[in-house]
Every structure is written in C-alpha cells, then in structure tokens.
Amino acid sequence: MSQKTERLLPILLGQSVIPVLVIERLGDAVPVARALVEGGLKAIEITLRTPAALDAIHAVSEDVPDAIVGAGTILNGDQYVSAEGAGAKFIVSPGLTGELIDAAEDSDVPLLPGAITPSELMGALEEGYQCLKFFPATAAGGIDFVKSLASPFAEVKFCPTGGISQNNAADWLKLPNVVCIGGSWVAPKKLIDAGDFKAITELARNATKLTA
C-alpha cells in the first residue's frame, strides 16, 4: 500500500492554502476557479456537499486548464470513482476506511484522508499514509493539539481544515508538522453568491503571501 505521495506532495507543497469550495450553482464553478487561479491558487478542493459538485469538478477540469481541481468530502468508493471520472486530480476525505483504501489503490488519483486521534494516525501509517487531513481542525483540538502530535508522529504531515480563517492561518502554518492548510475564507459563500470574483482574486493573492 502507498499514498502515491509523488503525485500528492507537489500539490500540497505548491501552495500554503488550498481553497475549500462549496459550489451550489454550477455556473459559479468556472468563474470562481478562474478567480482563484488568477490570484495564485491553482489547487482547489470542491466538496461533494451539493448536487452540483461533480458537474462543477468536471467543468473546472475542462475549462480552467491551469487549475488543479480536487474532490473533497469523499466518503466511499463510489464517490471516489465518480470524482475521478469527473476529472478530480486529488481526493480528500474526512476519514480513512478500508473501502477508501481499496479505491485509492485502484486509482492513479492520490488520496488525502483525514485522521485525528493517535489510534487513527497509527492506522493510517500502517496503511502507508503519512500525509493526512486534520478535520475539523479547530473543534478537534486546535493548534496546541496538532503541535503535540509532532513528536510521537514525526513522519506525519498535516493539512488542517475546519475553523481556519485569515486571522489564524499564519499560526497554523508555523507548526512544523503542517504542510498546508485548507480554508473556505478564500472564496466565501457571500462573495460567490454576489458574483464578486475580483474580491475572491484579492483574497487568493493575500493567501499566497502566507508561507508554511
């Protein structure tokens, strides 16, 4: 078993902040992606939380060639296959199951699974997964908790997501075991609904100034 880190790590190391998007209207997907890419954020996670999500991933993969679109909130093997078919270049899950491990093993698209507790981390390591999502980051213990994991799990690198904002992003990125963070503040719902894509580009530019 392996995580295909040769495909995943360049994405995670390519930018300190990965926008996490909830696309409710398909027509918003391409303009939002273009705005983020223009601001310097090419890797984008579109979560499978809406009926438009898979079509949005497909639209971005087809119409925004500079974007690296991923699929988030993947909970099972069928969703993994569907997201890959839609054009997702990486898969993000809040947890790790045998079914997801099997789907990842059968795919060229790398998986970034979630793990929180020491037991979950040990289980992920046993399966060859060292790059992990930490979700929900703030509610699950926050910066102090993730920092405390660095010593017993020195080989694990995290992408924390959930409750991270522009105000605390820099503090998360200072942690030695954090390689990047995920955040929805870069493309908030109110700006998407308003069609204010210039504002999203500006938020993306500000996010690129953050460094891990």
Side-chain angles (χ1 to χ4, degrees), residues 38-200:
E38 183 179 348
L41 300 181
K42 295 183 177 182
I44 301 164
E45 176 189 338
I46 296 178
T47 62
L48 262 65
R49 300 181 188 177
T50 69
L54 284 173
D55 288 335
I57 291 168
H58 179 71
V60 172
S61 67
E62 289 289 316
D63 297 336
V64 192
D66 289 335
I68 305 169
V69 60
T73 321
I74 299 297
L75 304 179
N76 55 55
D78 288 342
Q79 290 181 341
Y80 200 117
V81 172
S82 295
E84 180 179 7
K89 298 300 186 292
F90 62 101
I91 300 292
V92 185
S93 174
L96 183 62
T97 66
E99 184 177 345
L100 283 175
I101 290 170
D102 290 343
E105 189 70 14
D106 292 336
S107 172
D108 290 331
V109 178
L111 171 64
L112 177 66
I116 296 175
T117 68
S119 292
E120 290 174 348
L121 295 174
M122 291 166 65
L125 288 171
E126 285 182 358
E127 297 293 345
Y129 286 80
Q130 295 182 332
C131 297
L132 301 170
K133 175 177 178 172
F134 186 87
F135 172 85
T138 299
I143 289 174
D144 288 342
F145 186 81
V146 174
K147 185 178 180 180
S148 71
L149 294 172
S151 180
F153 298 101
E155 66 270 55
V156 173
K157 297 299 181 184
F158 289 107
C159 174
T161 304
I164 299 177
S165 68
Q166 190 171 3
N167 295 328
N168 62 13
D171 294 329
W172 279 98
L173 290 167
K174 290 177 184 176
L175 298 181
N177 53 346
V178 168
V179 65
C180 64
I181 56 177
S184 59
W185 87 87
V186 186
K189 183 180 186 300
K190 64 179 181 179
L191 292 182
I192 296 176
D193 288 346
D196 193 348
F197 304 117
K198 289 184 178 180
I200 291 173

